[in-house]
Amino acid sequence: MRPETIRRLLGVFVGLAVATVVAAWVTRPRQAPLLCAEDLPGKVIRIEIEGPAGKNVLARSKDAWVVETAKNAPADARLISLSLERLPQVALSEPVTQDAQRYPLFGLGASSAVQLRLIGEKGPLLELQVGKDGPDYPSAYIRLSGKPEVVVAEGLAPSDWNHPAADWLAPPPAPVKPGVVPAPK
């Protein structure tokens, strides 16, 4: 092969490589925005939940959680931790609707939505309404406070937050059998 032919083939190859890179960059899938920052769970000191299961207020006092609406009874810290730790991985879809008249179709009506407020030392960290189950499990239709858009929150189930007060209480300690020394914690 002549050197001129090799140069032409090399030029065509480089052109195709550049075109492939540009096409891949232009058509790459857009990364879905996340519900909240990764450090949000550590900042929450109070959780206010109001929905069909009733109103619950969970508060962190030092290293323990209490259910204020159940006379400051100890809360299930594991359940709260799991619910909070899922939030930074929740991906949001494009808006499904902005029409307030359609909110009840997504479980975001006044009597069906779960109002969730996460509060830190300096005030509200995250406020949203959680509606009914989304198209895939776990997902839910949600509306962020102050925004008219309804979006699908992938990774968040409505049942994550809609519990009666008794479900938020810490489980009773396991009974100790006589003569058995409990393992240290």
Side-chain angles (χ1 to χ4, degrees), residues 46-135:
R46 185 177 175 87
I47 303 169
E48 296 175 358
I49 308 160
E50 189 170 357
K55 183 174 181 167
N56 291 302
V57 177
L58 312 170
R60 187 184 306 197
S61 62
K62 297 184 183 173
D63 292 333
W65 283 92
V66 296
V67 183
E68 285 186 355
T69 47
K71 300 180 182 173
N72 290 328
D76 186 348
R78 189 183 67 75
L79 175 62
I80 295 170
S81 231
L82 287 173
S83 298
L84 286 173
E85 288 171 5
R86 286 186 200 144
L87 293 177
Q89 288 117 27
V90 173
L92 304 178
S93 73
E94 293 291 323
V96 177
T97 187
Q98 292 185 7
D99 184 3
Q101 293 179 352
R102 296 186 70 196
Y103 291 168
L105 296 173
F106 302 101
L108 294 166
S111 63
S112 58
V114 174
Q115 307 285 333
L116 176 63
R117 288 185 68 199
L118 304 178
I119 302 166
E121 288 183 14
K122 296 180 181 179
L125 300 170
L126 180 65
E127 295 182 52
L128 61 125
Q129 290 181 326
V130 182
K132 63 184 184 180
D133 284 316

Side-chain angles (χ1 to χ4, degrees), residues 181-185:
V181 178
K185 291 184 180 180

